[in-house]
Every structure is written in structure tokens, then in C-alpha cells.
Amino acid sequence: MKRHSTSVTLIGTGRMAFHLGHALLRAGVPVNGVCGRDAEKVRDLSAQLGCKGFTLPEVPAADLLLIAVSDDAIASVAKQLPKGEVVVAHTSGAQGHSILGARGHRGVLWPIKSLSPGKPADLSRVPLVVDASDARAREVLMDVARSVSGKVVELPLEKRRLLHLTAVLAANFPVFLMREAGRLLEEEGLSPELIVPLWKSMSAKVSEVGPEQALTGPARRGDLKTITRHLERLDGEPDLRRAYALLSELILKAYHPRKRGITDL
Ligand SMILES: NC(=O)c1ccc[n+]([C@@H]2O[C@H](COP(=O)([O-])OP(=O)(O)OC[C@H]3O[C@@H](n4cnc5c(N)ncnc54)[C@H](OP(=O)(O)O)[C@@H]3O)[C@@H](O)[C@H]2O)c1
């Protein structure tokens, strides 16, 4: 493994810090320390990563101070960091680097991946988006990002915001709909496990043939009677009924424009 010269101090002890910390470790990037506000969480993550732990505002020096805290806390954490020549970046897809305050070298390092508790994620093929305020920040962030992943792209804020929005459409909403589908099944004494194979196969199919080919279902076929029956079944669930009706309308608009307007949204 290539031994790295660009060092990182990781600030945060949540999901991003956990997965990114392990990915940096695997890539051979020196992690000079893990910093957080909760001493116990700092101890736990720093022990896993085999580095020192620090309680904020104590922050060990490194080429890159990488802030992996909740979006709303990024600005206040950045204010606690040393000024000077160090590069400071955060990991949020939804925020610009100006949130890091008036400093010379700022940036963003955003993995396009949903990171949950569990085993350390393999980020080596996950797209990492870099946005840097200047040449020094770019050099440091690109170096670290390329060590972690083979897919690094540079995107400015507006494009990142669009990408973030599309990630919510493509990855967050379907998961919530899966939760609601599971709830409806459980309420009738059926196991949500029954639709898990379908869920897995759909995501694989979309990757294989693309969403145009992968889409099936009553709205895609234009089966209005089935849609009406489903809407009737959802009479006691007004919010879910609206969501079902709106999504069906969108699909009908795309594939059966003459059949639109059957769902009283
Ligand atoms: N998880 C994902 O799927 C994902 C994907 C892409 C990007 N991101 C980005 O990664 C960043 C971190 O998200 P996450 O998922 O790791 O969140 P998380 O698991 O909820 O962890 C949040 C971290 O922020 C710390 N924190 C919150 N407020 C703080 C404050 N005022 N001062 C110091 N530390 C504070 C928390 O410390 P305590 O534990 O002490 O509360 C915790 O370490 C966010 O910018 C998010 O947009 C996340």
C-alpha cells in the first residue's frame, strides 16, 4: 500500500467519521487524531482507528482538518479550529465551503453514499465529490479523496446541491416508502420480508437496465382500475394516499398522458 504524506485530523464521532475514518485507515492515510465533544465516543472511535483521541476544542495539527459533524454544527465547530495555512473541509453534500468561515484553504469532501451503523463501508468505488476554495485546498483534498476512492469528481456548490437533491429522490424517498409498505403489511399480520426480495431485485435491475426499462406496475401499464382500487384501500391513510396518487400521476404523465387526472389529488 502507498504510504501517504497528507495527514488528516478527523472531527466528529458519528456515522461519517466512523466510515471515513476506517476508509482513511485502509487507504494508508495517516490519521493524526479523532476529535469530538463526547469523551467516551472519542475514546471508542480513536481506539478503533489506532490513533489519539481529543476533546474539542483540542485539535491536533494535520494537513487536513476534516469536519464530519451534523450540518447544523459545522459552522460552530469550524470556529473552534486553528486559523493559518491548514486546509479545513466538511463532508456535507448540502453545504458550501463558505460555511467554514473566513480562512485561506477551505473545501468539501462528500461521499455519495448513505452511511449507517454497521460494518465499515467500502468507499473504494463510491463517488467522492470534492469542492475546493483554492489550489492548496484542492491539492490536499484530491490527494486524500483519490487515496480513498477510484471515483473522484470535482463539483461546485450548485451542482452539488442538485446532486444532493437527486440523492434524496433516488435513495431516501424509496426507503421511506419501503418502511410504509412494511407497516401496512404488518398491520394485516403479514411479514414485510415478503417484499424484500422484490426490493432487492428492483435496485439490481435499475443498475443493470436503467429506470426506463426497470419500471413496472399499474401506472406504468396504465391500469387505471387497479390504481383506483389501491387508492380506495388507502382511504384511511390520507397522506399515503396522496403520495400514491401523486406518484401515479407522474408516471401516467410520462407514459400515458391521455390517462392523467383520474386520481383526485
Ligand atoms: N451518514 C450519511 O449517510 C452521510 C452521507 C453523506 C454526508 N454526510 C454528512 O456527514 C456529516 C456527519 O453526518 P453523520 O451521518 O455522521 O451524522 P451523525 O452520525 O448524526 O453524527 C453527527 C456528529 O456530529 C457531532 N456534533 C453534533 N453537534 C455538534 C456540536 N455542536 N459540536 C461538536 N460535535 C457535534 C455529533 O457529536 P455527538 O455524538 O457528541 O452528538 C456526532 O459526532 C454531515 O455533514 C452529513 O451531511 C452523511
Side-chain angles (χ1 to χ4, degrees), residues 172-191:
N172 293 165
F173 293 155
V175 176
F176 186 76
L177 291 176
M178 184 65 179
R179 170 193 189 265
E180 292 298 284
R183 178 176 63 77
L184 291 178
L185 288 170
E186 271 178 337
E187 282 171 10
E188 292 297 326
L190 293 168
S191 168

Side-chain angles (χ1 to χ4, degrees), residues 3 12-13 20 33 35 44 61 81 104 110-111 116 129 143 151 157 162 197-198 211 219 240 243 246 252 256:
R3 195 63 212 167
T13 52
L20 206 46
C35 311
D44 187 31
L81 303 184
W110 173 44
S116 304
V129 177
D143 187 39
K151 288 186 184 169
L157 179 59
L162 175 66
L198 175 66
L240 203 51
L246 181 55
L252 289 171
H256 304 278

Side-chain angles (χ1 to χ4, degrees), residues 12-16 37-38 41 56 68-71 73-74 77 91-92 110-111 113-115:
T13 52
R15 286 168 291 178
M16 177 60 79
R37 60 178 175 179
D38 181 317
K41 291 180 187 169
L56 284 168
V69 303
S70 324
D71 287 6
I74 294 172
V77 167
T91 59
S92 172
W110 173 44
K113 181 157 173 79
S114 169
L115 298 164

